[in-house]
Amino acid sequence: MITFSTLSQLRGRKSEKWRRFPSDVLPLPVAEMDVEIAPSIKSALIDMVERSDTGYLGLIPELGTAFSSFAGDRWGWAVDPTKVRVAVDVGVATIEVSRLFINPGDRILVNSPVYQNFYTWIKELHCEMVDAPMVEIERDGTRTHRLDFEAIERAYDSGVKVHLLCNPHNPLGIIFTHEELTTIADLAHQYEVLVISDEIHSPLLYESEAFVPFLSVSENAREVGVTVTSASKAWNLAGLKCAQLVSSSDRIESKLRLLPEAVHFRTSLFGAIAAVAAYEGGREWVDELTRELDRKQRLLNELLHERLPNTYLYRPYFGYLGWVDLRSSGLGDDPGKELLERAKVAFNSGHTYGPDGKGFIRLNFGTSDEIISEAVDRMRQVIGA
């Protein structure tokens, strides 16, 4: 059974989400859920503690086997367990993989508005950021977005070396089709671009069969791609620090063998064991969770429509992050700042995801219905004033 903690329980948590702001602020920015973890994971961690098994991470072949089994059963993606590596988190994985293929000053492509830490990673690599922004469209009467392939090809042709692909896309809540990913793979192969596909939210699709792993779409994708992912978002394990890197070709594999040994050994033993427990024993739990999150995004949409009709929630197809248009709210380019100061509710400010994010917020609805309702009411106090 999926259980979301009460506000009084959450105030006792020690994570960043619950320590960043004063106690009178309702915090809904950090991408962690207010849910109790899956029983299989809790049991695995308690067993480790009871046996004082708190040492360094060494060989962990069962993680490759567990991820391979999960990917095969969930998406029909055949993963070689021996080509599954670990790193502290997807940021470290992305940076360390990139360093094998590029030099400082090289160009890296993103598709904004996109997960804000992509920009942080590019800065850490001392590389130049290139943007091929997502294009807003209307499909079946719903506002959504698509990739701009002409802009992507121009960027590739300009000398881009790496494309950081957010698949599925955070914060826009969309998923890419087999055809779209095949086109990216073909262009990347043509222009010799490495595609690093961040698939950390992929277990949380409301319709799991709709997700297409990048490395599964074609031989070209396997020749140009690396997947970085983790159990951290779907099973709420961010603090345990263990991500996975996946390759599917000899060419990429030969490069990944050059990764520093520390990429593996800096990873958490608890995180690796928790990931195994998630992929092996947490499948029914995460399926129940995705159904609950789908219900919550519909609840959020209804509340915004009823109480704040001048706002717009772009329909998310996965996860617990909502992209909300507040450009008609009168709160300016940074409504997140205004809502924090005047309504004591914290969101992610849209402009941090790229220039087209001005006037937007990203809202974490991975919490109780009561907190979602309270957040909308606090917004109404300011926007309706």
Side-chain angles (χ1 to χ4, degrees), residues 265-278:
F265 293 115
R266 287 172 179 156
T267 305
S268 164
L269 174 63
F270 278 5
I273 295 302
V276 173

Side-chain angles (χ1 to χ4, degrees), residues 143 310-314 323-328 359-361:
R143 291 164 60 186
N310 289 330
T311 67
Y312 184 84
L313 171 68
Y314 286 75
W323 187 242
V324 183
D325 186 351
L326 297 181
R327 287 175 293 183
S328 298
F360 289 79
I361 58 168

Side-chain angles (χ1 to χ4, degrees), residues 118-258:
F118 277 19
Y119 306 112
T120 304
W121 304 341
I122 294 170
K123 184 177 180 180
E124 184 172 340
L125 288 163
H126 302 288
C127 287
E128 178 186 351
M129 189 274 293
V130 178
D131 190 9
M134 302 291 292
V135 177
E136 184 168 349
I137 61 171
E138 185 172 302
R139 182 182 293 128
D140 300 326
T142 300
R143 291 164 60 186
T144 185
H145 296 78
R146 66 166 177 82
L147 290 162
D148 185 339
F149 289 106
E150 292 182 357
I152 290 172
E153 183 166 12
R154 286 196 300 271
Y156 284 6
D157 191 37
S158 75
V160 159
K161 298 297 184 184
V162 172
H163 183 176
L164 300 186
L165 182 68
C166 202
N167 174 40
H169 193 281
N170 167 23
L172 298 182
I174 63 173
I175 54 178
F176 300 127
T177 66
H178 190 285
E179 181 181 5
E180 288 173 315
L181 295 174
T182 300
T183 300
I184 289 175
D186 291 346
L187 288 171
H189 188 266
Q190 177 183 346
Y191 289 97
E192 299 182 348
V193 173
L194 174 73
V195 178
I196 301 179
S197 184
D198 177 355
E199 301 181 1
I200 195 170
H201 293 275
S202 56
L204 289 178
L205 263 71
Y206 306 147
E207 298 178 9
S208 60
E209 69 277 3
F211 176 67
V212 182
F214 179 73
L215 294 180
S216 73
V217 300
S218 67
E219 187 58 34
N220 278 347
R222 290 183 280 276
E223 286 296 322
V224 301
V226 174
T227 290
V228 293
T229 190
S230 174
S232 62
K233 292 296 183 245
W235 286 273
N236 216 42
L237 306 174
L240 296 184
K241 308 306 284 185
C242 179
Q244 291 80 61
L245 302 81
V246 185
S247 65
S248 291
S249 77
D250 292 338
R251 185 184 81 86
I252 297 293
E253 183 67 11
S254 67
K255 281 282 195 179
L256 297 187
R257 292 192 190 104
L258 302 177

Side-chain angles (χ1 to χ4, degrees), residues 37-38 40-45 48 57 60-71 84-88 200 203 229-245 267-283 286:
I37 63 174
S40 62
I41 298 171
K42 185 178 292 188
S43 295
L45 294 175
M48 297 281 287
L57 174 67
I60 188 78
E62 60 267 43
L63 180 49
T65 300
F67 179 79
S68 175
S69 174
F70 180 80
V84 178
R85 290 175 167 80
V86 298
V88 171
I200 195 170
T229 190
S230 174
S232 62
K233 292 296 183 245
W235 286 273
N236 216 42
L237 306 174
L240 296 184
K241 308 306 284 185
C242 179
Q244 291 80 61
L245 302 81
T267 305
S268 164
L269 174 63
F270 278 5
I273 295 302
V276 173
Y279 293 131
E280 287 185 344
R283 300 184 188 187
V286 84

